[in-house]
C-alpha cells in the first residue's frame, strides 16, 4: 500500500476588515486592531444595528471597474484573495487536470439578489443586469476562480453556514489526499453587509448592539459580550501535495494534517457541546495526534453569550486535562464574523500563527466570564513554541468543522 499523500500550504491570500492582503491583516491582528465601524449607508439608520466590519480595502481600489460590473462583492473577494495566494505560492506550474478549487460561501450573492430585486421593482425587468444569475449563485466565487486559473480537477462550493470555509479547506485536503488533485485553491468568502441580513440577525438577537463603540463590540469570552459583529471579506490558501511542492522548491508555511466534521442533529440555531467536541476529536484522530499536542486553538469564538460558553465546554471535553497547555484565541474580536468566510481567513491566521510562532490575541477581553475559563490570550499577542494548531468553525443547522495544522 502506498504512503498517504501529505498536504501542505504554499500560498496565502486575504482581504479583511483589518487589511487588504494577508500580510497587512496579520500585522493588524498582532497589534490588536478592530475593523468594526459605523456604517455610512442610508439604510443603516433603518435597522437596529448600524455598524459592521467592512473590508479595509474596497475591491474598486484593486480591480478595474469593467471587471467589477460582472461580479458580486463575494466574487470580487474570492478573486482578490486567490490572486494574492497564487502569486504568494510562486504561481505554480501544474497540469490543469490536477488543479482544483474549493471556495465556500454561506450565503453567496445576497447583495446582488436584493439590489437587483430593487431595480426590478423600481425600473422594470429590462433594467435588471444580465449578469444577475452568475452573480447571485453561491458557487459564483469558486466558479470565477476556477475559470481564471483553468482548474479542471473540480470546482466545488460547500455551503454549511458559518462552518462553510472550514469545510471547504477540509474537502480540498481530502481531494489531494485521495489523489484527485495536486494543487487546490481553497478558502471562504462572504459579503452580506446589507439591511436585510443584518435585520434578520438583529431580530434573532445575534448581533451586538454596542453602537456607541463598534470597535469594542466584538468581545468573545467577556462577561459583557452581547452578540457578534458582522464582517465581510475572504481568505484563501493554496493547498499542495507535499512532493509536488518540494519538487518545485516551494515555500511551505505549514502542513494540514487533520480534518473532522460532525452534525449536532439537535436544533437549527442553538449550539450543542457534543457536536463541536466530536468534530475536534475526529480532526485530531484524523491527524494522528493526541490532545496534549495541541498548542494553539483558533476558536469559532463569535462573542455570543451561549456560543462562547458552549465552545469552551466543548474544548475542555475534547482536550481533557490538557487545556492548560493550549492557548485559545478568537480573531473575530478584530475581524468580526465573516459567516462562510470565517474559516477561510481564520485558517490563514492559524497557519501564520504556526509559521511565525505567534498567537494573535482576543481583544476587548476586559472582564473574563467565569464560565469561559481557558487561556484566551487576552488583549496581547504572544510568542509561542508550538507544533500543532486546531481551527474550529460551527454553523447554523448544527454543522461543525475542525482542522489540524502542523508546523513544518
Amino acid at each position: 500500500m502506498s504512503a498517504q499523500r501529505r498536504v501542505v500550504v504554499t500560498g496565502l491570500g486575504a482581504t479583511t476588515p483589518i487589511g487588504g492582503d494577508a500580510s497587512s491583516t496579520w500585522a493588524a491582528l498582532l497589534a490588536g486592531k478592530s475593523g468594526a465601524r459605523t456604517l455610512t449607508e442610508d439604510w443603516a439608520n433603518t435597522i437596529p444595528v448600524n455598524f459592521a466590519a467592512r473590508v479595509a480595502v474596497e475591491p474598486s481600489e484593486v480591480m478595474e471597474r469593467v471587471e467589477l460590473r460582472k461580479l458580486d462583492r463575494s466574487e470580487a473577494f474570492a478573486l482578490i484573495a486567490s490572486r494574492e495566494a497564487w502569486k504568494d505560492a510562486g504561481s505554480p506550474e501544474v497540469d490543469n487536470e490536477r488543479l482544483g478549487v474549493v471556495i465556500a460561501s454561506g450565503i453567496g450573492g445576497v447583495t446582488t439578489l436584493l439590489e437587483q430585486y430593487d431595480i426590478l421593482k423600481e425600473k422594470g425587468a429590462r433594467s435588471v443586469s444580465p449578469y444577475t444569475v452568475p452573480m447571485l449563485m453561491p458557487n459564483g466565487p469558486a466558479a470565477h476562480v476556477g475559470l481564471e486559473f483553468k482548474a479542471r480537477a473540480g470546482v466545488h462550493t460547500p455551503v454549511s453556514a458559518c462552518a462553510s470555509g472550514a469545510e471547504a479547506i477540509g474537502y480540498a485536503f481530502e481531494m489531494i489526499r485521495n489523489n484527485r488533485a495536486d494543487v487546490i485553491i481553497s478558502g471562504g468568502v462572504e459579503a452580506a453587509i446589507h439591511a436585510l441580513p443584518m435585520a434578520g440577525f438583529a431580530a434573532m438577537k445575534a448581533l451586538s448592539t454596542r453602537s456607541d463603540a463598534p470597535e469594542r463590540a466584538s468581545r468573545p469570552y467577556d462577561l459583557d459580550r452581547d452578540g457578534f459583529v458582522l464582517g465581510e471579506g475572504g481568505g484563501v490558501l493554496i493547498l499542495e501535495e507535499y512532493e509536488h511542492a518540494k519538487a518545485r522548491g516551494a515555500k511551505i508555511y505549514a502542513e494540514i494534517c487533520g480534518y473532522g466534521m460532525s452534525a449536532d442533529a439537535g436544533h437549527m440555531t442553538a449550539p450543542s457541546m457534543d457536536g463541536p467536541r466530536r468534530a475536534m476529536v475526529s480532526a485530531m484522530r484524523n491527524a494522528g495526534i493526541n490532545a496534549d499536542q495541541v498548542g494553539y486553538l483558533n476558536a469559532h469564538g463569535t462573542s455570543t453569550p451561549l456560543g462562547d460558553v458552549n465552545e469552551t465546554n466543548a474544548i475542555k471535553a475534547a482536550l481533557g486535562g490538557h487545556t492548560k497547555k493550549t492557548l485559545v484565541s478568537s480573531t473575530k474580536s478584530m475581524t468580526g464574523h465573516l459567516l462562510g468566510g470565517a474559516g477561510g481567513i481564520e485558517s490563514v491566521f492559524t497557519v501564520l500563527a504556526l509559521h511565525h510562532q505567534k498567537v494573535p490575541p482576543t481583544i476587548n477581553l476586559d472582564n473574563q466570564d467565569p464560565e469561559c475559563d481557558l487561556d484566551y490570550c487576552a488583549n496581547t499577542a504572544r510568542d509561542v513554541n508550538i507544533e500543532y494548531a486546531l481551527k474550529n468553525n460551527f454553523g447554523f443547522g448544527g454543522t461543525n468543522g475542525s482542522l489540524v495544522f502542523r508546523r513544518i
Side-chain angles (χ1 to χ4, degrees):
M1 184 176 176
S2 60
Q4 191 170 54
R5 285 161 59 90
R6 295 171 63 188
V7 184
V8 294
V9 180
T10 57
L12 301 171
T15 180
T16 77
I18 55 175
D21 55 23
S23 60
S24 62
T25 296
W26 179 245
L29 277 181
L30 295 182
K33 294 183 178 178
S34 170
R37 53 194 181 275
T38 302
L39 294 168
T40 58
E41 294 86 350
D42 291 341
W43 57 256
N45 296 317
T46 69
I47 58 175
V49 176
N50 67 349
F51 63 94
R54 282 219 179 271
V55 288
V57 177
E58 282 293 318
S60 59
E61 297 181 48
V62 293
M63 299 178 76
E64 295 295 330
R65 184 178 177 183
V66 65
E67 183 177 25
L68 286 171
R69 281 182 57 244
K70 302 177 182 180
L71 298 173
D72 178 75
R73 196 170 174 85
S74 65
E75 295 169 343
F77 294 155
L79 285 169
I80 291 166
S82 295
R83 288 167 180 171
E84 181 194 357
W86 190 257
K87 183 178 179 181
D88 186 44
S91 302
E93 290 187 14
V94 57
D95 180 352
N96 295 102
E97 300 290 339
R98 303 289 296 172
L99 173 64
V101 173
V102 191
I103 293 180
S105 177
I107 301 179
V110 64
T111 56
T112 289
L113 178 64
L114 295 168
E115 288 165 2
Q116 291 300 316
Y117 183 61
D118 286 343
I119 290 171
L120 174 66
K121 288 191 299 179
E122 294 167 10
K123 299 181 180 179
R126 290 184 180 276
S127 296
V128 171
S129 169
Y131 305 112
T132 296
V133 173
M135 288 169 70
L136 65 80
M137 58 192 198
N139 66 315
H144 276 285
V145 173
L147 288 168
E148 173 150 331
F149 292 96
K150 303 292 188 287
R152 293 177 178 168
V155 176
H156 303 282
T157 303
V159 178
S160 50
C162 305
S164 301
E167 184 172 359
I169 294 164
Y171 190 91
F173 165 62
E174 290 189 333
M175 280 180 69
I176 295 176
R177 264 200 175 178
N178 295 334
N179 203 21
R180 277 188 58 196
D182 293 323
V183 179
I184 300 189
I185 304 166
S186 184
V189 297
E190 204 75 88
I193 297 177
H194 186 284
L196 182 61
M198 290 189 67
F201 280 125
M204 295 175 67
K205 308 296 184 186
L207 295 180
S208 171
T209 59
R210 198 183 291 264
S211 58
D212 58 327
E215 69 284 353
R216 295 185 56 76
S218 183
R219 43 197 318 109
Y221 319 114
D222 192 271
L223 197 59
D224 300 318
R225 68 191 183 278
D226 68 334
F228 71 81
V229 174
L230 185 60
E232 66 174 4
V236 167
L237 298 80
I238 304 301
L239 301 188
E240 190 166 352
E241 192 274 327
Y242 174 65
E243 295 298 336
H244 188 279
K246 193 168 69 169
R248 69 180 185 87
K251 168 182 60 184
I252 295 175
Y253 283 101
E255 179 175 4
I256 176 171
C257 53
Y259 168 49
M261 294 288 296
S262 72
D264 296 345
H267 192 276
M268 181 60 73
T269 57
S272 151
M273 188 277 285
D274 188 59
R277 178 196 67 81
R278 286 185 287 110
M280 285 182 270
V281 169
S282 178
M284 289 186 288
R285 185 184 301 121
N286 186 241
I289 67 169
N290 299 317
D292 64 352
Q293 293 175 272
V294 178
Y296 171 53
L297 192 152
N298 184 287
H300 190 55
T302 58
S303 185
T304 56
L306 288 177
D308 289 0
V309 173
N310 184 76
E311 186 176 10
T312 294
N313 290 333
I315 292 168
K316 290 192 287 189
L319 300 186
H322 304 295
T323 53
K324 287 184 172 56
K325 298 167 63 176
T326 304
L327 271 178
V328 178
S329 71
S330 171
T331 45
K332 287 184 179 71
S333 60
M334 293 170 276
T335 66
H337 188 0
L338 270 67
L339 310 179
I345 64 167
E346 290 161 12
S347 290
V348 170
F349 303 159
T350 306
V351 166
L352 288 171
L354 281 169
H355 181 68
H356 293 293
Q357 292 290 290
K358 288 181 178 291
V359 167
T362 303
I363 68 167
N364 300 325
L365 183 46
D366 304 322
N367 184 18
Q368 188 165 328
D369 185 343
E371 291 191 79
C372 299
D373 55 354
L374 301 176
D375 187 343
Y376 300 110
C377 198
N379 300 311
T380 305
R382 291 191 212 167
D383 294 325
V384 290
N385 182 14
I386 55 175
E387 185 175 3
Y388 291 96
L390 259 174
K391 170 77 212 99
N392 284 344
N393 286 111
F394 316 129
F396 284 172
T399 300
N400 311 292
S402 294
L403 301 166
V404 177
F405 294 93
R406 182 175 79 88
R407 182 184 185 183
I408 194 168

